[in-house]
Amino acid sequence: MSETLVDVKPIDPSKRTWIIATGCVGAVGGVATAIPFVSTFQPSERAKAAGAAVEVDISGIKPGEKLTVEWRGKPVWIIHRTQDQIDRLSKVTDQLADPNSQRKPGEQTPEYAMNPGRSIKPEYFVAVGICTHLGCSPSDKFTPGPQASLPDDWQGGFLCPCHGSTFDLAGRVYKNKPAPDNLEVPPHMYLSDSKLLIGEDKKA
Ligand code: FES
């Protein structure tokens, strides 16, 4: 059973935030874990309680943008990667703890996302936006290059503010970080070029 969402728009940070209230014990300096949330997303209470799959219109996500929706009470990111961002994935392979998503087979990465981009389509990356260490929500660090808390050869990705874990733009965790695993890729499938179903896949 799926819940249809209409008019999902790109993130508007001014309208709504999502606080990950669980986990993140011992966060450095009490760093806030708020991330922008899609203002128009309004799943029914019934659908949320049932953990229903959610249908998302992805046609409005421009290259380089991220949309966040809720599935089973968790934030799920849909990132429309640019060709440059896709190309940068291969530059960090040697720095990653599990570049081929071979740890915990079937748990963090569905079989159809067992590829360097961890996705069905190279341009769209879908992931649960919760750090695999203690559950904070990593921040977007899409801009490559030197910047605070990141290496000079940063290729774009995510930084968890709680204890400094970093992930590339396929949610693959860097080596020697507190987070043990790559970000979870939830079950998902395309219903059409513009419609994505999160929470079910062709095996369901
Ligand atoms: S929760 Fe500790 S690094 Fe993310």
Side-chain angles (χ1 to χ4, degrees), residues 24 131-138 160-165 167 178-179:
C24 207
C131 181
T132 55
H133 183 216
L134 292 175
C136 290
S137 189
C160 185
C162 291
H163 314 96
S165 291
F167 304 85

Side-chain angles (χ1 to χ4, degrees), residues 44-89:
S44 70
E45 290 306 315
R46 177 190 57 77
K48 283 198 287 187
V54 292
E55 187 178 319
V56 184
D57 183 349
I58 59 171
S59 60
I61 313 173
K62 296 187 178 69
E65 287 187 347
K66 183 179 87 173
L67 181 70
T68 302
V69 299
E70 181 183 4
W71 171 66
R72 293 189 175 175
K74 299 185 277 194
V76 172
W77 299 337
I78 304 159
I79 295 147
H80 188 169
R81 291 182 291 216
T82 65
Q83 187 58 52
D84 179 61
Q85 289 172 329
I86 294 168
D87 293 344
R88 288 176 184 277
L89 294 175

